Amino acid sequence: MAFININAKAKLMKLDVVELNVSPDLLSKDENYLINISINNEKIPLKDYSIKNFEKNSLVSIKLPFQYPFGKKVYLEFEKIGNINIDLSNALYFKEFDEMFNFDGELGSFYKKNVTTFRVWAPIAEDVYLWYQIDDVKYRILPMERKEKGVYEIKIKKDLLNHGYRYFINNYGHTSLVLD
């Protein structure tokens, strides 16, 4: 697992632009830096970037050669700074977001005696896991499969009537345990 620098802040500003705020003493606009984006552990060099130095911070604007790959494990590798998670919360407000991830199907749990289907909408998630109770003291955690429109799904071929469940949702380095 890669070390993530929690003092540097990167944010997705457009589907193909990431901005990074760092301390002004770390970077100079007159130098060249090695920047990679790691997507599911595959490194891709990024060469199209600019640096603006201000009194209290330096702003690095990075143009991606593709649209951000939602649903994958992604972080920046930045020479002199380290690895940096990318905050995707702005993506929810992009005009393209609804076109990409609008889902009008059913979400939640769907019980049948021999199979229960779990479906949750988490379009900016790297991955999602189902946590469910087996009995009063045992539980199980299973990865869910990413489907179209940012929906994650799993089918459990067991009678799960009255078994509790939750979802672990991983978003840009933060994991939340949530209900549907």
Side-chain angles (χ1 to χ4, degrees), residues 131-140 163-164:
W131 173 96
Y132 73 93
Q133 287 180 294
I134 296 172
D135 57 35
D136 288 343
V137 293
K138 294 181 186 172
Y139 61 89
R140 192 151 186 215
H163 289 246

Side-chain angles (χ1 to χ4, degrees), residues 10-15 40 68-75 85-94 96-98 100-103 120-129 146-152 168-176 178:
K11 198 164 205 162
L12 188 66
M13 303 307 287
K14 294 181 182 177
L15 287 176
N40 290 342
Y68 187 88
F70 293 98
K72 311 241 185 213
K73 292 186 186 317
V74 178
Y75 60 88
N85 282 321
I86 302 169
D87 178 346
L88 304 178
S89 58
N90 278 354
L92 302 172
Y93 305 104
F94 297 167
E96 304 92 348
F97 189 82
D98 283 341
M100 293 170 66
F101 297 114
N102 182 41
F103 179 75
V120 63
W121 185 70
I124 64 173
E126 294 174 356
D127 47 34
V128 177
Y129 293 84
R146 186 175 175 100
K147 302 285 191 173
E148 66 177 342
K149 302 293 186 179
V151 173
Y152 287 79
F168 284 105
I169 298 180
N170 296 319
N171 288 329
Y172 47 89
H174 302 284
T175 301
S176 300
V178 298

Side-chain angles (χ1 to χ4, degrees), residues 24 42 48 122 142 147-148 162:
E42 180 185 336
D48 190 0
L142 297 171
K147 302 285 191 173
E148 66 177 342
N162 298 323

Side-chain angles (χ1 to χ4, degrees), residues 8-146:
K9 306 293 182 203
K11 198 164 205 162
L12 188 66
M13 303 307 287
K14 294 181 182 177
L15 287 176
D16 62 351
V17 175
V18 175
E19 286 187 354
L20 171 66
N21 277 296
V22 295
S23 173
D25 56 327
L26 286 178
L27 302 175
S28 168
K29 65 180 181 179
D30 300 323
E31 290 185 43
N32 290 319
Y33 298 95
L34 177 63
I35 307 172
N36 292 315
I37 189 165
S38 176
I39 303 172
N40 290 342
N41 295 317
E42 180 185 336
K43 296 177 186 182
I44 300 167
L46 300 173
K47 299 182 189 311
D48 190 0
Y49 67 90
S50 63
I51 300 173
K52 293 180 184 172
N53 294 106
F54 300 100
E55 186 177 325
K56 294 186 179 184
N57 73 317
S58 289
L59 178 67
V60 182
S61 183
I62 304 166
K63 176 88 165 99
L64 303 177
F66 45 76
Q67 286 191 348
Y68 187 88
F70 293 98
K72 311 241 185 213
K73 292 186 186 317
V74 178
Y75 60 88
L76 291 176
E77 295 178 339
F78 202 116
E79 177 185 36
K80 291 184 75 173
I81 297 173
N83 298 333
I84 306 155
N85 282 321
I86 302 169
D87 178 346
L88 304 178
S89 58
N90 278 354
L92 302 172
Y93 305 104
F94 297 167
K95 65 180 180 179
E96 304 92 348
F97 189 82
D98 283 341
E99 294 169 21
M100 293 170 66
F101 297 114
N102 182 41
F103 179 75
D104 61 0
E106 293 183 315
L107 299 169
S109 64
F110 306 94
Y111 170 79
K112 292 182 183 173
K113 187 155 182 69
N114 61 345
V115 64
T116 301
T117 301
F118 298 89
R119 198 174 299 134
V120 63
W121 185 70
I124 64 173
E126 294 174 356
D127 47 34
V128 177
Y129 293 84
L130 173 71
W131 173 96
Y132 73 93
Q133 287 180 294
I134 296 172
D135 57 35
D136 288 343
V137 293
K138 294 181 186 172
Y139 61 89
R140 192 151 186 215
I141 299 172
L142 297 171
M144 297 180 72
E145 182 181 353
R146 186 175 175 100

